[in-house]
Amino acid sequence: MTSEPTPASAVPVVRMAARKRIALVAHDNCKADLLDWASYNEGTLLRHRLHATGTTGRLLSERLGLEVHRLLSGPLGGDQQLGAMIAVGDLDALIFFWDPLEPLPHDTDVRALLRIAVLYNIPTACNRATADFLVSSPLLATEYERRQPDPASRIRRPGLAE
């Protein structure tokens, strides 16, 4: 038995304000690139609420003077904090410069964060080119209705008690 696809009109939407809540994250080998990118896009970033994990947040504040809500360091729970923020609707976009060639002790946290971002349909940039496209989109500066399928509906099994 196959289930029928959900019509687009039945998928709930989340209204994102014009002032977005953006998470900025960079692994150690990518911090310089993120700082350079953020410096170039400082005027755009200043119009939004910024969140970042530990060292990345400190560097953005100290070197660029950006107002950043700092979370824990990624390996110490910061990646999980961001995932929780996405799940409860407290983040609108994720810019995560991660190093695919560097094995990390918290790889599972990184994968979980990226999985949650995709699951909740959060705009996500994992490299500079995609981040450029994201921040240059006219949608970043306007209200936007993001389609938000119910993730729980995808894991419910017919016949199982709730």
Side-chain angles (χ1 to χ4, degrees), residues 26-30 96-104 107 110 126:
H27 285 158
D28 288 346
N29 291 344
C30 301
F96 188 174
F97 286 18
W98 62 281
D99 186 350
L101 298 177
E102 185 70 28
L104 300 165
D107 269 341
V110 171
C126 292

Side-chain angles (χ1 to χ4, degrees), residues 21-27 34 49-54 56-57 60 68-97 106 109-110 112-118 120 122 124:
R21 299 159 300 176
I22 302 172
L24 301 169
V25 185
H27 285 158
L34 181 71
R49 290 192 328 221
L50 305 177
H51 303 268
T53 52
T56 303
L60 288 164
V68 179
H69 176 255
R70 286 180 55 202
L71 304 171
L72 296 172
S73 172
L76 300 178
D79 294 336
Q80 292 177 344
Q81 285 179 298
L82 289 173
M85 291 174 73
I86 291 169
V88 299
D90 289 343
L91 274 183
D92 298 314
L94 172 64
I95 297 173
F96 188 174
F97 286 18
H106 68 294
D109 296 336
V110 171
L113 173 58
L114 294 172
R115 182 180 142 284
I116 287 291
V118 170
Y120 283 89
I122 297 294
T124 304

Side-chain angles (χ1 to χ4, degrees), residues 2 65 160:
T2 59
L160 295 178

Side-chain angles (χ1 to χ4, degrees), residues 8-46:
S9 61
V11 177
V13 295
V14 174
R15 182 175 298 276
M16 296 165 58
R19 185 173 188 225
K20 305 293 187 289
R21 299 159 300 176
I22 302 172
L24 301 169
V25 185
H27 285 158
D28 288 346
N29 291 344
C30 301
K31 287 191 191 321
D33 195 26
L34 181 71
L35 286 169
D36 184 60
W37 175 87
S39 176
Y40 182 81
N41 291 287
E42 185 175 356
T44 300
L45 294 174
L46 285 170

